Amino acid sequence: EIPLKRGASVAGWTVVEGGVLAETCVARLAPQVAGGTELRQALDLERTAVEVPVRKDGFFQLAGLAPGVYTLEVR
């Protein structure tokens, strides 16, 4: 059985110099905020960011996303 989620997804692999990922490595996807956006609106959008742990092989997937423009950060 494979549970499906409504919406789009972003998937990828990450690598680090030396080849060893920290166990606490996470991928974070946040809606991109346009210049001139009011601080309150920017903070509200920031709260909708999604984070998932990155697997030891570097793979990550963020699923169930609404259409939009996002910023991806792996840390």
Side-chain angles (χ1 to χ4, degrees):
E1 224 178 90
I2 300 174
L4 301 177
K5 292 183 180 181
R6 174 173 234 116
S9 68
V10 172
W13 281 268
T14 188
V15 293
V16 295
E17 194 172 319
V20 180
L21 288 171
E23 289 188 27
T24 58
C25 188
V26 295
R28 184 173 192 277
L29 195 68
Q32 193 168 16
V33 179
T37 302
E38 291 184 21
L39 179 58
R40 177 74 178 158
Q41 291 173 327
L43 291 173
D44 287 344
L45 278 174
E46 185 64 25
R47 287 189 196 111
T48 65
V50 180
E51 285 190 2
V52 295
V54 176
R55 293 188 331 202
K56 288 187 179 197
D57 66 357
F59 181 78
F60 62 89
Q61 182 175 17
L62 300 119
L65 305 171
V69 179
Y70 294 89
T71 301
L72 175 64
E73 177 183 33
V74 177
R75 51 186 165 156

